[in-house]
Amino acid sequence: MQVTDYLTRRYATKAFDPNKVIPEPLVKELMASLRYSASSTNIQPWHFIVASTAEGKARLAKGAQGNYSYNEAKILNASHVVLFCSRTQIDDAHLQKVLAAEAAAGRFDAAPEAKAASHNTRLLYLNFHKYDKKDVPHWLEKQVYLNLGTLLYSAAVLGLDAVPLEGIDQAVLDQEFDLNAKDLTAVAAVALGYHADSDFNAKLPKARLAEEEIFTLI
């Protein structure tokens, strides 16, 4: 299959079949896609809460009440739901953890001096957003959205259905999982599984702006 085959197959699932469960090997692939997603300077400012049990999905569904109740059934009926959490700040402990992971992977074996360069580059970008742009939380959330896109495409490649959910009460979920105490905050969720026969959106053609509207070739 071509890349476009997966992209045109993917759509925002509106109703999941609660009787269909994603096989564990595919769950492992999805989790690997979350681990290996790109982020600016490899800063990896994320944490993921993965709900697959009825109890776990019920906890996530607490963030889909009131004005967000239209997403409750998606959360409860999906096979798995991933809550994307972003770090609210980056401290030295996190920087050192990332650097240690890079070293353990052997990234500096051929050039030991690259270790300091990697750390300094990450620190340069962090300080730019901290002191110049003053938008560290926003910058970190943008990295999380890169990861969200990776998961949606990975699900399509694996033949799974998915829907991103920004319509959640982030404050409720921050409290439910005590995220702020861990310097984390809820950003968005993705529900994954297999669409129900009643999902009207599965039968609709994909619509995008024409190429001439969105590309400038120079």
Side-chain angles (χ1 to χ4, degrees), residues 26-141:
L26 297 189
V27 174
K28 295 295 185 184
E29 289 290 308
L30 293 172
M31 293 176 71
S33 77
L34 292 169
R35 269 193 78 211
Y36 289 109
S37 177
S39 63
S40 177
T41 70
N42 196 32
I43 202 163
Q44 304 169 67
W46 43 54
H47 186 83
F48 311 100
I49 296 173
V50 182
S52 60
T53 64
E55 293 79 9
K57 287 182 283 187
R59 291 184 69 186
L60 286 182
K62 291 180 181 180
Q65 305 299 316
N67 292 336
Y68 306 104
S69 60
Y70 56 90
N71 278 328
E72 182 179 21
K74 299 184 187 78
I75 293 172
L76 295 177
N77 292 333
S79 171
H80 288 65
V81 184
V82 179
L83 178 63
F84 285 71
C85 306
S86 173
R87 293 187 62 87
T88 56
Q89 63 171 334
I90 296 293
D91 56 15
D92 186 64
H94 182 79
L95 293 175
Q96 293 302 323
K97 190 178 297 184
V98 172
L99 194 64
E102 292 174 335
R107 291 181 60 86
F108 313 127
D109 290 354
E113 67 277 7
K115 183 175 183 180
S118 180
H119 175 72
N120 289 336
T121 297
R122 208 152 25 240
L123 196 59
L124 178 70
Y125 273 78
L126 176 61
N127 285 339
F128 171 69
H129 285 280
K130 183 184 293 185
Y131 300 116
D132 294 352
K133 299 198 73 174
K134 297 179 173 60
D135 68 344
V136 168
H138 179 61
W139 179 56
L140 299 180
E141 283 191 10

Side-chain angles (χ1 to χ4, degrees), residues 4-12 201 203-208:
T4 49
D5 293 324
Y6 296 113
L7 291 174
T8 53
R9 179 199 175 280
R10 191 214 65 77
Y11 76 102
N201 211 26
K203 304 174 180 67
L204 296 178
K206 188 176 290 290
R208 292 294 188 270

